[in-house]
Amino acid sequence: DRCLVDLRRSALPSSAQACKPTRSMATTTTPQQQQAAPGTTTQAGPAEDDEEEDEGADEAGFTMPEVVILGSSPNAANHLRDIGDEAVWSLSTAKPGNGVEELRDNNLETYWQSDGGQPHLINLQFHRKMSISEIAFYLDYSLDESYTPKKVSVRSGTTFHDLVEVRSVDLNEPTGWVVVPLVAPKRNAYNALTRTDDDDSIVTDDRILRCFFLQVCVVSMHQNGRDTHVRQARIFGPRTPVDAAVDLTGLGFRPGGYLSRFAVLR
């Protein structure tokens, strides 16, 4: 009997050692084994790759509208309206007698002239989120020469602190109205097919730019000039159903100036 007990005691350690690898193998799984395990539904890696490919294809298939220079005033097209009167305009600097009033007086003989270090800024603050289609400037290299902007950057956002560049334009001795179409960055794209705007705007482009704050930055001038001249500036947005109804009456009202004072049209 004593020999039998000794044999059982000597067998216990080997049995315990034999059990340890079994427990370890049952509870430990490598990341590769987890990914290959049957029944797994998470495929974050491939899904992210597919999404990146789709985004690249969308960007590759999108063509940025071209900047054009017009000899005459860019009157609002049938699908656009002038929204300049709905914004508060301000400038980074200005010489006395050459400020916002001269920039917006519809007179090509007057102009805004900056008075300070570069860059020079035109700021537009809207009281509500606006849809913006294009912005236009009147420049005249033959008169202003080194004061004429050479590179312009357009930025949008909610305030000064979150501006994102939406368009950068290089100019070569421009004379006339420089019309710059604007579209939203992809991450801020507004999809008119799946979302209804609070002001019931008619939006046909899912890349329409929408913002509270728009900034035009004159980055550099011709001939390495220091200050800049911009003779006029106008901004346009898509028409709303109210605008279309007013146009049908033939009364010629400007919704941005007069009709926007009223909440309801009867």
Side-chain angles (χ1 to χ4, degrees):
D1 295 339
R2 185 176 181 178
C3 293
L4 181 59
V5 171
D6 293 338
L7 288 174
R8 289 176 178 175
R9 288 178 179 176
S10 62
L12 284 174
S14 59
S15 301
Q17 291 175 2
C19 293
K20 288 180 181 179
T22 305
R23 293 192 189 99
S24 176
M25 293 175 62
T27 57
T28 303
T29 308
T30 64
Q32 291 79 5
Q33 291 171 336
Q34 289 177 352
Q35 292 179 358
T40 302
T41 58
T42 303
Q43 298 180 353
E48 292 175 356
D49 294 340
D50 293 341
E51 184 178 352
E52 292 176 358
E53 291 178 1
D54 293 341
E55 290 178 1
D58 180 76
E59 292 292 343
F62 178 76
T63 302
M64 183 70 72
E66 295 183 357
V67 175
V68 298
I69 299 180
L70 304 177
S72 58
S73 178
N75 295 322
N78 292 333
H79 62 288
L80 299 178
R81 66 188 182 99
D82 192 325
I83 59 175
D85 291 339
E86 299 185 33
V88 177
W89 296 68
S90 62
L91 306 169
S92 55
T93 61
K95 284 188 176 294
N98 297 97
V100 173
E101 292 184 1
E102 287 70 29
L103 182 67
R104 295 281 298 157
D105 62 2
N106 292 321
N107 184 357
L108 301 183
E109 300 299 323
T110 61
Y111 51 81
W112 161 52
Q113 180 174 332
S114 62
D115 186 18
Q118 301 175 13
H120 307 303
L121 306 175
I122 303 174
N123 302 308
L124 291 83
Q125 178 73 60
F126 295 95
H127 70 281
R128 61 189 176 92
K129 200 171 189 179
M130 295 293 293
S131 299
I132 302 174
S133 300
E134 63 187 32
I135 190 166
F137 314 96
Y138 189 83
L139 307 176
D140 194 335
Y141 179 79
S142 62
L143 295 177
D144 300 325
E145 297 185 346
S146 64
Y147 288 90
T148 308
K150 183 176 182 180
K151 183 174 183 179
V152 176
S153 172
V154 183
R155 306 158 184 175
S156 70
T158 304
T159 65
F160 269 109
H161 308 291
D162 64 351
L163 295 177
V164 177
E165 183 177 85
V166 295
R167 194 72 190 261
S168 180
V169 179
D170 292 312
L171 303 170
N172 183 23
E173 302 182 1
T175 297
W177 284 94
V178 180
V179 181
V180 183
L182 301 176
V183 295
K186 182 173 177 57
R187 67 183 183 87
N188 292 331
Y190 174 79
N191 191 342
L193 300 179
T194 59
R195 180 178 173 185
T196 302
D197 187 22
D198 53 3
D199 61 1
D200 296 327
S201 295
I202 297 178
V203 182
T204 58
D205 188 355
D206 62 357
R207 296 291 296 260
I208 196 74
L209 176 64
R210 289 178 53 79
C211 64
F212 285 97
F213 194 95
L214 191 75
Q215 182 181 87
V216 180
C217 175
V218 181
V219 180
S220 62
M221 274 63 63
H222 285 73
Q223 303 175 14
N224 296 320
R226 176 185 175 186
D227 286 315
T228 190
H229 283 181
V230 178
R231 294 183 170 267
Q232 289 296 302
R234 300 181 67 183
I235 186 168
F236 300 94
R239 289 187 181 275
T240 65
V242 171
D243 302 327
V246 171
D247 285 347
L248 292 177
T249 66
L251 299 178
F253 288 137
R254 296 182 62 188
Y258 180 78
L259 295 177
S260 62
R261 302 176 190 175
F262 303 95
V264 180
L265 297 179
R266 299 184 182 276

